Amino acid sequence: MQYSSMDHFILIICSMIAAFIPRFLPLKFFSTRKIPEWFNEWMKYVPVSLFTALVIRDLFVNTKTYTFVGLEYMAKLLAAIIVIVVAYRSRSMGLSVLFGLVAVAILATFLTV
């Protein structure tokens, strides 16, 4: 099946709308209402919990078989520890990412990734 430029354009527009609506509707809904304090307090933990779920899965789960691998990915685990220390001390996302990438690159040459 051949796709035309118009098909691609329509797909891009539909994708834009699908990405825009979940961001716009909550903003529109909550801009006119007072958000309860308990909700604001609860929302502080959402980014940390999502980030933790992603990191733990990458460190301890084989994504091909979805099995627990324990300490098989020692290079990633050591790099994660380095990133935690750098992030805690510097409070800088940029430095944390930079140190994490360098740590994985160096450790991967010596340990199993």
Side-chain angles (χ1 to χ4, degrees):
M1 174 179 237
Q2 286 280 327
Y3 294 105
S4 69
S5 294
M6 185 54 97
D7 291 335
H8 287 118
F9 181 72
I10 292 170
L11 179 64
I12 290 170
I13 296 298
C14 290
S15 299
M16 180 194 71
I17 292 168
F20 178 75
I21 288 174
R23 289 167 175 83
F24 176 75
L25 288 180
L27 182 66
K28 188 69 174 163
F29 180 76
F30 287 116
S31 66
T32 59
R33 290 171 178 73
K34 173 124 174 69
I35 300 172
E37 189 58 38
W38 64 266
F39 185 76
N40 284 333
E41 189 66 30
W42 177 76
M43 286 301 287
K44 285 191 228 175
Y45 299 104
V46 171
V48 174
S49 60
L50 291 174
F51 181 72
T52 302
L54 292 171
V55 169
I56 294 301
R57 183 189 66 110
D58 194 46
L59 288 176
F60 298 111
V61 175
N62 181 335
T63 55
K64 290 185 179 91
T65 61
Y66 290 102
T67 56
F68 180 72
V69 293
L71 300 176
E72 283 183 30
Y73 300 143
M74 190 56 71
K76 287 182 182 179
L77 189 58
L78 291 174
I81 292 169
I82 291 169
V83 169
I84 289 169
V85 170
V86 169
Y88 181 76
R89 290 187 165 263
S90 70
R91 305 276 192 229
S92 168
M93 178 70 82
L95 275 177
S96 302
V97 169
L98 181 66
F99 272 83
L101 290 172
V102 170
V104 168
I106 292 171
L107 292 169
T109 60
F110 301 109
L111 300 172
T112 304
V113 176

